[in-house]
Amino acid sequence: MENYAIPAQPIVAAMTRAAAAEPHRTVAFQGAPGANSHVAAVQAFPDGLPLPCFDFADAMDAVQDGRADCAIIPIENSLHGRVADIHFLLPESGLVITGEHFLPIRHALMGVGARAEVRQAMSHPQALGQCRHWMRAHGIEPVAYPDTAGAAAVVAELGDPAVAALAPAAAAAIYGLKVLADDIADADHNTTRFVTLARGGRPPVGEVPWMTTLILEVRHVPAALNKAKGGVATNGVNMTKLESYQRNGSFAATEFYADVDGRPGDEGFDRAIEELGFHAKWVRLLGTYRQARARG
């Protein structure tokens, strides 16, 4: 609790008490009340009880410990790329992906004084990156903070008209700030993709568009990745995302995170995964879930 700025602490405490009374309805999210993750939790689970957690690991711990039924985590943004390192966090947590949610992002500049007085804007690095052109054009220096709404709480605590926050517009009302500029984004398509994490998945039943997320390590031989991707393609399975990452400082991009259309039990999907296994040291499925948005 003490990690949050003083204006956020009583709100976090009240939400934590409500969640503790009904953990089966609780949705953990990273950030302070009013953050984009809070907005996503309310949209994706309108009957849920949002539980603020200071960082991603805390949100996952809440699910593991049974204090929350699930967590909703941002993993990528259309403007600024990767948010959470889900390929590191998720395998270690033992949780599975059970859903996804897309949230259009619009930031607001908020503070205690007038717009002309603002010299700095605090926010999450993702938000700062999504608004960097706007801030540069207005002569505002970015200041990184772990959370958007948490930055709003800090600005309320500081009471300095030269320091503002970039956060969802609703955070201004929560922390008693004035909205100095609204609808801020460097591109209209600014959208963040969230995934829902739970202790266990449900069988993918029904003829709807399914998505499966997996990680794999290809063998260290020439063309191993091309052969692995070829096995997916020849079985009629569409790979919508493929991202390399490094582990243990190896500087060898041999591990990959992928999203593919389909689900276990589909003939083409099962053949594709089997063929992936021929060209990989290991393949691990992180979850199968309904697509919230059609790809392509």
Side-chain angles (χ1 to χ4, degrees), residues 13-262:
M15 295 174 73
T16 301
R17 287 194 297 271
E22 299 185 81
H24 62 284
R25 291 179 54 203
T26 297
V27 183
F29 69 91
Q30 182 272 330
N36 282 309
S37 292
H38 185 187
V39 176
V42 171
Q43 288 186 0
F45 300 93
D47 296 325
L49 294 173
L51 173 65
C53 300
F54 192 73
D55 58 29
F56 295 124
D58 290 341
M60 293 184 181
D61 286 346
V63 181
Q64 291 172 311
D65 298 343
R67 289 178 288 121
D69 181 67
C70 62
I72 190 163
I73 302 292
I75 61 168
E76 58 184 327
N77 176 265
S78 62
L79 267 179
H80 208 239
R82 184 189 300 171
V83 182
D85 284 329
I86 200 72
H87 33 57
F88 293 128
L89 295 170
L90 185 52
E92 296 169 359
S93 73
L95 304 179
V96 298
I97 302 176
T98 59
E100 64 176 358
H101 181 76
F102 289 86
L103 179 69
I105 303 295
R106 288 296 183 273
H107 300 288
L109 185 74
M110 56 193 70
V112 298
R115 162 69 188 83
E117 298 177 281
V118 176
R119 298 292 176 267
Q120 295 181 326
M122 298 179 63
S123 197
H124 189 280
Q126 274 280 335
L128 297 174
Q130 294 160 21
C131 302
R132 63 187 183 278
H133 298 307
W134 187 92
M135 288 194 297
R136 187 180 300 118
H138 290 82
I140 298 175
E141 176 189 355
V143 178
Y145 190 78
D147 170 45
T148 54
V154 170
V155 167
E157 184 176 1
L158 290 174
D160 183 350
V163 183
L166 274 175
I174 293 174
Y175 300 110
L177 300 174
K178 294 185 286 186
V179 174
L180 309 178
D182 203 355
D183 198 29
I184 302 170
D186 285 346
D188 289 339
H189 64 70
N190 191 9
T191 301
T192 295
R193 179 190 176 210
F194 292 78
V195 291
T196 303
L197 309 179
R199 289 184 293 278
R202 298 190 180 103
V205 178
E207 296 306 317
V208 299
W210 294 100
M211 178 76 73
T212 296
T213 294
L214 57 92
I215 53 176
L216 70 150
E217 181 179 354
V218 296
R219 300 185 187 281
H220 194 60
V221 296
L225 178 60
N226 283 337
K227 291 176 182 177
K229 292 190 297 181
V232 174
T234 56
N235 285 291
V237 174
N238 185 34
M239 182 178 289
T240 63
K241 180 180 179 67
L242 181 66
E243 186 175 72
S244 64
Y245 62 97
Q246 298 172 352
R247 189 183 295 274
N248 299 324
S250 67
F251 292 99
T254 56
E255 296 187 23
F256 294 87
Y257 168 101
D259 290 333
V260 298
D261 289 343

